Amino acid sequence: ELELVESGGGSVQAGGSLTLSCRASGATSRMGWFRQPSGDKCELVSYIRSDDYKFYVDSAKGRFSISQDNAENMVALRMNSLKPEDTAMYYCAADLNLADVQRRGGTWSDISANYWGQGTQVTVSS
């Protein structure tokens, strides 16, 4: 069973930056990040494919950057110009079911991915 371990969350003021990292216990592909604000639904933020294609939700474009290190089985999400509305629990996901993600417009479902991390909290204060 693949395990995902996230790190890098924390508290930052608006306009600040954070980098989230996720290390997989083995080789995987189609890794990405979802987030869930308190009391709200969980939604896709970004994903990266093995061919290095990158997707970002509109609210993340121009501010967030996803990258992967296949040798280390890691994916990172660099978040710049953070806003209070970015406050959420962020979850690393691997082996994304891209057809399901696209069909649901990025909203999480129990088949969005085969593997999930435990989550890391990002809090952005105004």
Side-chain angles (χ1 to χ4, degrees), residues 1-4 23-29 31 73 93-95 114-116:
E1 180 82 4
L2 193 74
E3 294 186 352
L4 303 178
R23 180 184 293 273
S25 59
T28 186
S29 61
M31 298 186 74
N73 299 322
D95 196 18
N114 286 326
Y115 304 101
W116 296 92

Side-chain angles (χ1 to χ4, degrees), residues 35-99:
R35 68 183 177 189
Q36 185 171 25
S38 180
D40 207 342
K41 58 185 178 180
C42 187
E43 294 186 305
L44 177 71
V45 178
S46 177
Y47 71 80
I48 186 168
R49 297 187 321 206
S50 57
D51 61 359
D52 215 36
Y53 171 82
K54 302 169 185 177
F55 170 85
Y56 301 95
V57 67
D58 284 347
S59 61
K61 289 178 181 177
R63 299 189 300 127
F64 294 5
S65 178
I66 193 167
S67 60
Q68 61 186 351
D69 183 335
N70 293 324
E72 297 292 330
N73 299 322
M74 289 187 67
V75 66
L77 185 69
R78 174 67 176 178
M79 304 185 294
N80 296 322
S81 303
L82 282 162
K83 305 175 181 180
E85 50 264 44
D86 294 317
T87 295
M89 184 70 78
Y90 283 71
Y91 296 93
C92 178
D95 196 18
L96 288 169
N97 182 342
L98 295 181

